[in-house]
Amino acid sequence: MSKEFAIGSKVRVVALPPYVKTAEPMPMLRPPDVIQLGEEGIVIDRRPGGYWGIRFTRGAFLLDSQYIESTDTPPESHLE
């Protein structure tokens, strides 16, 4: 089951895929080191197949929902 994210929400990379695909009209495959583990980005759109377009500092890339988590939700330690 894929996670859902709101457009404009912040997400964090929790695992690196074997490669990343650019979110351009003509996508290109890039090595995974163009993004870093723990790097945060902003969701720009939803793509078919469970992919999300995410804007990072080094560009916009398509990532499957299994590689990202939302940072907009408060941590459970603050829910007292």
Side-chain angles (χ1 to χ4, degrees):
M1 182 174 161
S2 67
K3 303 176 224 171
E4 293 296 319
F5 304 99
I7 305 300
S9 65
K10 288 182 130 186
V11 293
R12 177 184 308 116
V13 178
V14 294
L16 290 176
Y19 60 87
V20 292
K21 188 183 286 188
T22 61
E24 299 172 354
M26 185 69 157
M28 295 175 53
L29 295 179
R30 302 306 236 175
D33 63 354
V34 295
I35 57 175
Q36 303 297 316
L37 197 59
E39 186 171 354
E40 292 186 2
I42 297 174
V43 176
I44 54 176
D45 63 2
R46 170 93 159 117
R47 303 285 175 101
Y51 287 92
W52 295 90
I54 304 168
R55 168 83 49 206
F56 293 102
T57 55
R58 294 182 69 184
F61 301 98
L62 299 176
L63 290 176
D64 192 304
S65 58
Q66 69 180 349
Y67 298 112
I68 54 177
E69 70 178 6
S70 177
T71 61
D72 287 342
T73 58
E76 290 182 23
S77 61
H78 295 288
L79 300 175
E80 295 181 11

